[in-house]
């Protein structure tokens, strides 16, 4: 417990120091979704967060409650958010300790190097303390792996209750956020492939699968019921080609824009990333060789195994290495073909570091002079890996140049008083976070998405939410009501294609617009009618 406490405290303190935040996703739905759930506002505010509004909000509730009660203490919120990273680091430490089983010097260094490499990768490091929820999801995944590894390779008891618990937490990861689903499936693949090799029973595997189903239903069952009730699709907006909700086209919605379409880029993506530092995803520079080096390590061990087979020699592999290898390769193939989005690959990235360190230690010469020479390129590899957080660009930050360090609260808007019974009209995503923020001081607020240009589903002339008759009717009914004030908010980075032509917009053309000073998202404008300026705009 003392070791766990150390990891948790270190994770919390690191989060306080970094103050990272994925500004776009937080402003788009991570703040709005739990507010809508806890306040009975599901499908009450028309499409204000787009299709992201229908992702399971349960995992976002803890952060929402922290903001609700401790918004004046942002460092406390960041510390609490960082506990997830500390918990993930602790479970990864336990897996590394099993992987490098033994009390020798090489084994100890293997654990230390794995921690350094595994916790400094781009996917995990730049999500510390953020609302993306990929670190909590990765924690549940690695916890499931650790329970199985300990039971199979350390305890050697194959108890069904442990397999069920491992399945339960893997199912929780998938139910809380669907991006965790590929990892539960990958653990299942590893169990089936290694069944005979590890002397598992089919009952072990079926109990694990049953745990996965139970964990998924426990985490997502209530939300599935709400989606079925409101939209006629328990997985809305996904799988709509089968469920045919009238709120969406009859297509299986997926964000496939980052999946490589060229064959060689699909096969050799990690090597393209080594040379192609500017990533389309997020539009940032990333320097991270972990996947490419892990690819080389796999090719090395695969080649060594084939050479041994040709020579009719035995090349024994440690069973835990085989199990983890099958899991990691399965997870990578699924990730590559389903998402190819960096922030979803934390477990893959961390196990890649484990493979790299394990390979380097396995190849280390015994003779001191040869070992000294060998450590030179190893040190260079270590330096490249550890420089990733220093020389890659941050996705978002609440305490850096993006907000000028001008804010004392976790979320804050300056100089605006929203009256009761007001309509907040949103242009573009991400804007929905303003609804729960202003609802803290104003009553009976209503939100409506007037126009969004971030992504389109049916045509280039109009966005999906202005084409679909269900959304059109809901929006029309909202806009027809009487309000004490109508306030428009526009989200658009300067110079982007998302700029709204305010002079031609029938609502905005008669409004007074100015920049909104806030740390929720740095590119907001607020527009109000001239007769409401004195009431809404206050002295800073």
């Amino acid at each position: 417990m003392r070791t766990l406490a150390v990891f948790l405290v270190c994770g919390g303190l690191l989060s306080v120091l970094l103050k990272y935040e994925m500004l776009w996703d937080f402003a788009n739905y991570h703040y709005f979704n739990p507010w809508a759930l806890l306040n009975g506002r599901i499908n009450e505010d028309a499409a204000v967060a787009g299709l992201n509004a229908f992702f399971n909000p349960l995992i976002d509730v803890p952060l929402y409650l922290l903001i609700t009660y401790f918004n004046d203490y942002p460092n406390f919120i960041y510390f609490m958010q960082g506990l997830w990273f500390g918990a993930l680091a602790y479970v990864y430490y336990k897996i590394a300790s099993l992987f490098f089983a033994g009390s020798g010097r090489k084994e100890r260094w293997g654990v230390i190097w794995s921690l350094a490499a595994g916790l400094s990768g781009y996917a995990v490091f730049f999500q510390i303390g953020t609302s993306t929820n990929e670190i909590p999801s990765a924690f549940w995944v690695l916890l499931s792996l650790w329970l199985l590894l300990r039971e199979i390779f350390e305890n050697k008891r194959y108890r069904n209750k442990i397999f069920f618990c491992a399945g339960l937490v893997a199912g929780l990861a998938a139910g809380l956020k669907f991006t965790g689903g590929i990892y539960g499936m990958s653990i299942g693949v590893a169990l089936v492939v290694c069944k005979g090799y590890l002397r598992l029973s089919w009952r072990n595997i079926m109990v694990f699968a049953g745990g996965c189903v139970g964990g998924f239903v426990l985490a997502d069952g209530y939300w599935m019921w709400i989606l079925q009730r409101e939209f006629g699709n328990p997985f809305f907006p996904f799988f709509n080609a089968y469920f045919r909700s009238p709120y969406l086209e009859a297509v299986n919605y997926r964000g496939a824009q980052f999946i490589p379409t060229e064959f060689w880029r699909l096969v050799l993506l990690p090597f393209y990333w080594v040379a192609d530092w500017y990533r389309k995803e997020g539009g940032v520079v990333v320097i991270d060789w972990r996947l490419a080096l892990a690819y080389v390590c796999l090719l090395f061990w695969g080649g060594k195994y084939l050479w041994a087979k040709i020579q009719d020699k035995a090349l024994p592999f440690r069973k835990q290495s085989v199990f983890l290898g099958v899991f990691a390769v399965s997870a990578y193939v699924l990730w590559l073909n389903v998402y190819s989005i960096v922030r979803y690959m934390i477990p893959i990235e961390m196990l890649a570091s484990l493979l790299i360190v394990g390979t380097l230690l396995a190849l280390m010469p015994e003779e001191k002079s040869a070992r000294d020479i060998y450590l030179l390129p190893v040190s260079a590899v270590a330096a490249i890996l550890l420089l990733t957080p220093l020389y890659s660009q941050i996705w978002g930050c609440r305490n850096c140049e993006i907000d000028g360090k001008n804010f004392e609260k976790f979320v804050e808007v300056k100089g605006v008083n929203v009256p009761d019974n007001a309509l907040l009209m949103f242009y573009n995503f991400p804007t929905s976070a303003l609804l729960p923020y202003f609802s803290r001081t104003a009553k009976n607020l209503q939100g409506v998405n007037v126009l969004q240009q971030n992504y389109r589903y049916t045509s280039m002339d109009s966005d999906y939410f202005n084409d679909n008759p269900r959304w059109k009717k809901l929006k029309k009914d909202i806009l027809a009501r009487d309000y004490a004030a109508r306030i428009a908010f526009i989200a658009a980075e300067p110079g982007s294609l998302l700029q709204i032509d305010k002079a031609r917009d029938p609502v905005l053309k008669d409004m007074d617009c100015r920049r909104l000073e806030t740390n929720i998202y740095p590119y907001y404008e607020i527009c109000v009618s001239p007769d409401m300026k004195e009431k809404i705009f206050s002295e800073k």
Side-chain angles (χ1 to χ4, degrees), residues 434-505:
L434 296 168
L435 194 49
Y437 178 82
F438 287 119
S439 71
R440 299 164 72 246
T441 54
K443 299 178 181 179
N444 303 319
L445 296 186
Q446 181 73 60
V448 62
N449 164 25
V450 178
L451 176 68
Q452 67 88 6
Q453 300 180 115
N454 299 75
Y455 52 86
R456 295 179 170 91
Y457 290 90
T458 56
S459 70
M460 294 304 293
D461 297 323
S462 180
D463 64 82
Y464 176 79
F465 298 104
N466 282 313
D467 282 346
N468 181 277
R470 292 295 181 102
W471 293 117
K472 286 176 68 175
K473 182 180 185 306
L474 180 59
K475 293 167 68 170
K476 182 179 179 180
D477 291 344
I478 291 173
L479 290 168
R481 299 170 191 165
D482 291 327
Y483 299 96
R486 293 174 183 250
I487 308 171
F489 294 94
I490 305 170
E493 188 173 350
S496 75
L497 297 176
L498 304 180
Q499 292 294 320
I500 300 292
D501 188 348
K502 294 188 285 291
R504 299 180 62 181
D505 186 272

Side-chain angles (χ1 to χ4, degrees), residues 1-14 79-80 82-90 139:
M1 292 299 294
R2 183 180 300 175
T3 305
L4 173 60
V6 170
F7 274 100
L8 291 176
V9 171
C10 288
L13 293 177
L14 187 58
F79 182 86
M80 297 301 293
L83 296 180
W84 284 113
F85 176 72
L88 174 66
Y90 174 75
F139 163 74

Side-chain angles (χ1 to χ4, degrees), residues 355-383:
L355 172 62
I356 294 167
V357 173
T359 301
L360 292 175
L361 285 177
L363 297 177
M364 183 176 291
E366 295 295 333
E367 186 181 347
K368 185 179 184 305
S369 58
R371 187 168 64 247
D372 291 341
I373 296 173
Y374 176 78
L375 286 175
L376 291 176
V378 170
S379 299
V381 170

